Amino acid sequence: MINVWSQLSPFERVGLEFKSFVFPGGEVGVKFTTPTHWYGTRHTIVARLQSAHDIVELMMVKDALDRTKPVSTNLFLPYVPYGRQ
């Protein structure tokens, strides 16, 4: 499960919704369903990863957010799958 928030001001925080999909070749893609055009905002990603698919989905979400030119992106990741390997 991945949740994404944008901090528009010190008092305003907006949740960003996205949909994950898989291309016919097996590649994972994401598409935001709420506007991500708030340039200069701070993004926070909270990810509870349970599979390799979730790791790739997280990378796609991060890439999409980087394209909005954020001030910063914070990641809260309480557990890393495959971290002991």
Side-chain angles (χ1 to χ4, degrees):
M1 176 180 71
I2 298 174
N3 295 314
V4 182
W5 290 282
S6 283
Q7 190 78 34
L8 302 180
S9 72
F11 307 106
E12 187 177 8
R13 191 169 108 166
V14 174
L16 298 178
E17 300 287 327
F18 69 92
K19 291 189 181 213
S20 176
F21 57 92
V22 179
F23 288 101
E27 303 92 347
V28 176
V30 296
K31 180 171 178 74
F32 281 92
T33 56
T34 55
T36 59
H37 61 275
W38 301 298
Y39 294 100
T41 60
R42 299 178 194 283
H43 300 300
T44 301
I45 302 171
V46 179
R48 289 171 176 43
L49 307 177
Q50 299 178 354
S51 68
H53 178 273
D54 292 346
I55 294 170
V56 174
E57 185 178 76
L58 173 61
M59 290 188 296
M60 296 294 106
V61 167
K62 173 68 167 94
D63 179 63
L65 289 176
D66 283 349
R67 293 170 191 271
T68 67
K69 307 282 191 247
V71 170
S72 67
T73 301
N74 298 312
L75 172 64
F76 178 71
L77 191 63
Y79 173 73
V80 180
Y82 308 105
R84 291 176 277 195
Q85 295 202 13

